[in-house]
Amino acid sequence: MLVVAHTGREEARKVASRVCRALAQHGLAVRLLADEAAELTLDLPDLDVVHPGPAASAGCEIVVVVGGDGTILRAAELTRETGTPLLGVNLGHVGFLAEAEHDDVEFTIDAVVAQQYTSEERLTLEVRVYRDGELVAETWALNEASVEKAARERMLEVVVEVDGRPLSRWGCDGVVCATPTGSTAYNFSAGGPIVWPDVEALLLVPISAHALFARPLVAAPSSVLAVEVQERTDGVGVLWCDGRRTVDLPPGARVEVRRGRTPVRLVRLHQAPFTDRLVAKFDLPVTGWRGAAERRRRSNGVLPEDTA
C-alpha cells in the first residue's frame, strides 16, 4: 500500500503514521514517498521508500491518501497511469473525493485488509493548448480545466466552441471545463450544475461573463470543448488543471478539452447514494422528508401522524 499524506499538517502526519502502523501490523507492505517518509520518520519493517512519480504506485493494491481533496488530486498524478485506486481519508473542509473520515481509520483499515471495498472509474479530461496552430502543451485533469485571466484588472475576451462550431464570445474572468467529479468543486463555485458521478458528460461554465447568454452548459462526453483567447483581448490568460498544472495563454492561444482516454479510479467503502453524500457534505436541510419506509410505518399505525 502506498500512503500519501499532506505532511505540512501535524494532524495529517499523525493520522498517516497511524495508517502506516496499522497496515504493517496486518502484515501489509507499506510504501512512502521519499520526502514524506522523511517527515513521518517511521520505524517499520520492510518500509519501501520511493521517489514521487507515476511509477510510485506500480504494484500497489491501493493508494491511501490522508488529507483533503487537494492531496487526493496530487495523488491522482501518481495513480492515473497505473490504474491504482485511490482511497481518501478526509482531513479537509468538505472532502468530496474522500471516502473515509480521519476518525474512522480503524474501520477503514479493517475494510482494506478484508478487501471489503469496490472501485469506480471517474471520467477525466484531456487538455491541449495550441498557438498559431501548433500544439505547445498537453495535460489532463480529474476535476476541471479552467481558462482564467492572469491579471485581476483585465477582462479576458474569449470565444467558446463546441464540436467545431462557435457558440459565443464572452468578456469574462474565465471559463471552467469540468467533469462530473469536478462539478462539486470550482464548477460549483462558478454557478455550474452538480452532476452525479455516474453521468458521463462534459461541463462548461463561464466565470463572471459580461454577456446576456452566459449559462452553464452540459455537453456529451464525446464532445470537444474549445476556448480561444482573442487576439484583441487586453488581458493574458492562464490555463489551470485541477489547480496544480498551469500553462500561459497569450492572445491567440486555443485550449481544446475532450474526454480523457485514461480514467482515475476511486475506492468506495460505502454504497450510500450520491444524494446522501451531498446532504452530508453540504449539511443540507432535509427535515420533514418522509420516505417510503416511514410512510408505510405510518399507514400501519407504527408511528403517530404528528411525528416529524
Side-chain angles (χ1 to χ4, degrees):
M1 304 288 178
L2 172 62
V3 178
V4 177
H6 183 351
T7 53
R9 295 177 56 184
E10 181 180 359
E11 185 180 14
R13 293 195 297 271
K14 291 180 179 178
V15 174
S17 297
R18 285 172 55 197
V19 169
C20 291
R21 293 191 184 98
L23 290 172
Q25 288 170 0
H26 282 90
L28 298 177
V30 177
R31 181 181 294 175
L32 292 173
L33 302 178
D35 54 342
E36 296 180 7
E39 293 283 341
L40 297 177
T41 61
L42 290 169
D43 183 17
L44 296 177
D46 302 322
L47 177 65
D48 186 17
V49 178
V50 299
H51 292 289
S57 63
C60 292
E61 180 180 343
I62 285 177
V63 174
V64 182
V65 186
V66 181
D69 282 351
T71 309
I72 295 178
L73 291 172
R74 173 167 64 88
E77 297 175 348
L78 308 175
T79 65
R80 188 175 68 109
E81 292 185 11
T82 60
T84 309
L86 290 166
L87 171 57
V89 179
N90 183 42
L91 290 176
H93 298 293
V94 179
F96 253 101
L97 294 175
E99 179 66 7
E101 297 298 326
H102 67 278
D103 52 358
D104 290 332
V105 169
E106 287 72 21
F107 165 80
T108 301
I109 297 303
D110 288 343
V112 169
V113 171
Q115 294 186 318
Q116 295 176 342
Y117 62 85
T118 60
S119 67
E120 60 185 31
E121 292 187 347
R122 294 296 183 89
L123 182 150
T124 59
L125 302 176
E126 179 182 293
V127 187
R128 297 175 181 174
V129 180
Y130 295 87
R131 294 178 190 163
D132 299 322
E134 179 183 354
L135 178 66
V136 295
E138 189 169 5
T139 183
W140 69 282
L142 172 59
N143 270 357
E144 76 279 314
S146 61
V147 174
E148 305 176 34
K149 62 181 185 180
R152 181 176 182 179
E153 69 276 8
R154 298 291 185 183
M155 185 176 289
L156 205 60
E157 194 80 21
V158 301
V159 169
V160 174
E161 170 191 301
V162 179
D163 294 330
R165 303 302 302 165
L167 178 72
S168 188
R169 186 180 72 247
W170 295 323
C172 58
D173 286 352
V175 179
V176 177
C177 300
T179 66
T181 298
S183 69
T184 52
Y186 196 176
N187 166 85
F188 177 76
S189 299
I194 292 178
V195 179
W196 267 234
D198 54 352
V199 175
E200 295 190 342
L202 303 181
L203 315 180
L204 190 150
V205 183
I207 307 172
S208 302
H210 192 263
L212 292 176
F213 178 80
R215 299 295 185 183
L217 304 174
V218 180
S222 58
S223 290
V224 178
L225 312 179
V227 181
E228 290 189 0
V229 180
Q230 293 294 279
E231 293 279 2
R232 67 177 190 175
T233 188
D234 291 331
V236 175
V238 59
L239 168 69
W240 283 92
C241 289
D242 288 339
R244 295 188 51 79
R245 298 170 291 279
T246 67
V247 179
D248 291 334
L249 301 175
R254 174 184 173 87
V255 177
E256 291 186 357
V257 178
R258 52 174 53 82
R259 179 179 187 164
R261 289 165 289 184
T262 307
V264 167
R265 297 172 64 199
L266 299 181
V267 168
R268 286 290 169 247
L269 303 176
H270 313 284
Q271 300 305 314
F274 183 67
T275 307
D276 292 354
R277 183 179 293 267
L278 278 179
V279 170
K281 295 294 185 179
F282 286 146
D283 194 21
L284 301 178
V286 293
T287 303
W289 177 78
R290 296 180 177 181
E294 184 176 336
R295 288 195 295 270
R296 284 195 298 270
R297 291 197 297 271
R298 289 182 187 281
S299 64
N300 293 330
V302 177
L303 292 175
E305 286 298 324
D306 60 348
T307 301

